[in-house]
Amino acid sequence: MVQTARERAREALTADIVETARGQLAEVGAAALSLRAVARELGLASSAVYRYVPSRDDLLTRLLVAGYESLGAAAEDADDPGLAPRDRWVAVSRGVRAWALAHPHEWGLLYGSPVPGYAAPQDTVVAAMRSAAVFGRVLGDAAYSGGLAGRAPNADRTALVGPDVTPVLGGEHPALDDDVRARAVLAWSSTLGLVSAELFGHLVGVTTDQEAFFTEQVGRLADLVGLAG
Amino acid sequence: MVQTARERAREALTADIVETARGQLAEVGAAALSLRAVARELGLASSAVYRYVPSRDDLLTRLLVAGYESLGAAAEDADDPGLAPRDRWVAVSRGVRAWALAHPHEWGLLYGSPVPGYAAPQDTVVAAMRSAAVFGRVLGDAAYSGGLAGRAPNADRTALVGPDVTPVLGGEHPALDDDVRARAVLAWSSTLGLVSAELFGHLVGVTTDQEAFFTEQVGRLADLVGLAG
DNA sequence: ACATGTCAAGAGCAGTGCTCTCGTCTGCGA
DNA sequence: TCGCAGACGAGAGCACTGCTCTTGACATGT
């Protein structure tokens, strides 16, 4: 028992605050998240909350990290290494969409417009990598299992992806050149766009069956990456 | 002169309020837009503004419509009917991106997370169509000029686009089936995703040259749609 | 010249983030 | 076992927000 009773109580109450804030976030959204409302729900004075959370921005950061972790876990759960590469990619994409539909306000916090006056600190980028890494793993496994199409016919185009993304996008492999990595980044940000467009209401009236439409589209994106299936 | 001096003064002041609010929006973002700050900047009492704008939400709606119109105009300006279909698509996409970079907070209002407690009224959807219609026109012109690839080999897949989008996506033409329309919708929402990802900081460290990267990616999307060039 | 009604302003309500102070109480070291 | 530093919760208060209501001045149309 390395921590005292006070420390335990402190951690428990801090966790309570973050959990209550998550509930608030799910109900009213990030920009309307109120520290006073969290305090009210916990039966605390608003000033007491500041003993545990230094500021509203810090609370947002915690929710941001928790959101990235939650999304990353959902993506990992949706992955099934036994499937063909293309089907794996589609399954992970569907997992991401399902999480977004279940947590729309959290998705807005992660990938929507930034909260005014708030800049995400550097700690959040590692958490943000978790879901992207799942796609990267599918890509890497496909390369090693031969489930990735060869070099595109016009692969002489510049690819323009930074060297930092190599580890997260499947690692080093002869089949994984910058051209296919650029395609993967395109597929990833396209998926972001599809989910956001659906969630933010930009596809109402455009599609007849949102889920089937999404599945078909991410399948096209998997083809664009060159995944076999 | 059908309107009295009072009516003219009223319209001028209303326009001043909206213009000042646009400035505020550009500076601090939509969620932090303050009616009182607008009033201060105009030398008015905060209560006086409510004589011209019924509520903050109504002001947001006006800014939303103005934003869609501004983006649509930028897309139209970027279009050049003399180019090959693929180059036209890329040019319009680049125009959209350039507008977004010049008006980041307005882009966030249009395509980012919705402002809490605010639901966009139906009037905004027609304005939102304007930029999409430019892409639709490029698609339609390509079909009529023969610059659109034929039916995809596996076009037996369901396409799942609603019938309402046909007019805006090039109209009726034998080469424009629901499969190619679905690809166009995918390319459009992918472009949304690319721009949002860049603007909201999700591509920092991923690409080495944002503009060249974007140009290359929307070129891939144009290929996916089947535009020749 | 007068009545109508539009106008700007101010006070006020309920809410926000955040700070400071003031008693209380806990837990650690002597 | 005692005493005290430090943590704790509560409350008041500041500056800000959107919005409503009243009040008094002014311009407009008859």
Side-chain angles (χ1 to χ4, degrees):
Chain A
M1 189 79 62
V2 293
Q3 52 182 0
T4 71
R6 230 216 274 268
E7 279 171 336
R8 267 189 288 114
R10 180 177 184 84
E11 282 188 13
L13 189 44
T14 307
D16 273 3
I17 289 173
V18 174
E19 205 48 45
T20 307
R22 273 192 76 147
Q24 286 273 328
L25 170 61
E27 281 175 32
V28 299
L33 188 141
S34 157
L35 238 153
R36 290 177 111 110
V38 171
R40 259 196 308 275
E41 195 167 326
L42 288 171
L44 281 176
S46 66
S47 56
V49 178
Y50 284 88
R51 296 229 179 252
Y52 300 90
V53 172
S55 70
R56 199 189 94 115
D57 282 6
D58 185 89
L59 187 56
L60 275 181
T61 301
R62 289 168 192 257
L63 295 178
L64 207 54
V65 173
Y68 279 128
E69 295 289 347
S70 173
L71 171 61
E76 288 163 8
D77 288 349
D79 188 18
D80 179 0
L83 295 177
R86 185 183 188 277
D87 297 334
R88 270 182 82 180
W89 185 279
V90 170
V92 173
S93 300
R94 287 170 56 91
V96 168
R97 174 178 174 270
W99 184 92
L101 290 182
H103 310 83
H105 283 120
E106 279 185 80
W107 176 271
L109 176 62
L110 302 188
Y111 295 110
S113 23
V115 179
Y118 170 76
Q122 210 60 20
D123 336 352
T124 59
V125 296
V126 288
M129 281 297 111
R130 184 165 166 186
S131 56
V134 181
F135 287 104
R137 199 149 47 235
V138 174
L139 187 69
D141 289 356
Y144 280 88
S145 70
L148 188 61
R151 206 174 183 76
N154 45 0
D156 53 318
R157 289 190 294 212
T158 53
L160 302 166
V161 290
D164 299 345
V165 297
T166 300
V168 72
L169 281 184
E172 297 284 354
H173 188 274
L176 290 173
D177 54 11
D178 276 355
D179 187 69
V180 71
R181 271 190 275 265
R183 289 167 187 271
V185 173
L186 172 60
W188 174 76
S189 36
S190 295
T191 306
L192 251 56
L194 279 170
V195 173
S196 291
E198 175 178 352
L199 217 57
F200 300 157
H202 294 293
L203 290 183
V204 284
V206 175
T207 64
T208 54
D209 181 340
Q210 303 262 44
E211 173 155 9
F213 176 82
F214 179 85
T215 303
E216 179 179 321
Q217 301 293 36
V218 292
R220 285 199 173 99
L221 293 174
D223 293 338
L224 187 118
V225 175
L227 297 173
Chain B
M1 189 79 61
V2 292
Q3 49 183 2
T4 71
R6 225 211 276 268
E7 280 171 337
R8 266 188 290 114
R10 181 177 183 82
E11 282 189 14
L13 189 44
T14 307
D16 273 2
I17 289 173
V18 174
E19 205 48 45
T20 307
R22 275 194 75 146
Q24 286 274 326
L25 171 61
E27 281 175 32
V28 299
L33 189 141
S34 157
L35 239 152
R36 290 178 112 111
V38 171
R40 260 198 308 274
E41 196 165 323
L42 288 171
L44 283 175
S46 65
S47 55
V49 178
Y50 285 88
R51 294 218 175 261
Y52 301 91
V53 173
S55 70
R56 198 189 95 116
D57 282 8
D58 185 89
L59 188 55
L60 274 181
T61 301
R62 287 167 193 258
L63 295 179
L64 206 53
V65 173
Y68 279 127
E69 295 289 347
S70 174
L71 171 61
E76 288 163 8
D77 287 349
D79 187 18
D80 179 0
L83 295 177
R86 184 184 189 276
D87 296 335
R88 271 183 80 181
W89 185 279
V90 170
V92 173
S93 300
R94 286 171 55 93
V96 168
R97 173 178 175 271
W99 185 90
L101 290 183
H103 309 83
H105 283 119
E106 278 185 83
W107 177 271
L109 176 63
L110 302 188
Y111 295 111
S113 23
V115 179
Y118 170 76
Q122 209 61 20
D123 336 351
T124 59
V125 296
V126 288
M129 280 297 112
R130 185 164 166 186
S131 57
V134 181
F135 287 104
R137 199 150 48 237
V138 174
L139 187 69
D141 289 356
Y144 279 88
S145 70
L148 187 60
R151 205 175 183 76
N154 45 359
D156 53 318
R157 289 190 293 211
T158 53
L160 301 166
V161 290
D164 299 345
V165 297
T166 301
V168 72
L169 281 184
E172 297 284 354
H173 187 276
L176 290 173
D177 56 10
D178 276 356
D179 187 68
V180 72
R181 270 191 276 266
R183 289 168 188 271
V185 173
L186 172 60
W188 174 75
S189 35
S190 296
T191 306
L192 251 56
L194 278 170
V195 173
S196 292
E198 174 178 352
L199 217 57
F200 300 157
H202 294 292
L203 291 182
V204 283
V206 175
T207 64
T208 54
D209 181 339
Q210 302 262 43
E211 173 155 8
F213 177 83
F214 178 85
T215 303
E216 179 180 323
Q217 300 293 36
V218 292
R220 285 199 173 100
L221 293 173
D223 293 338
L224 187 115
V225 175
L227 297 173

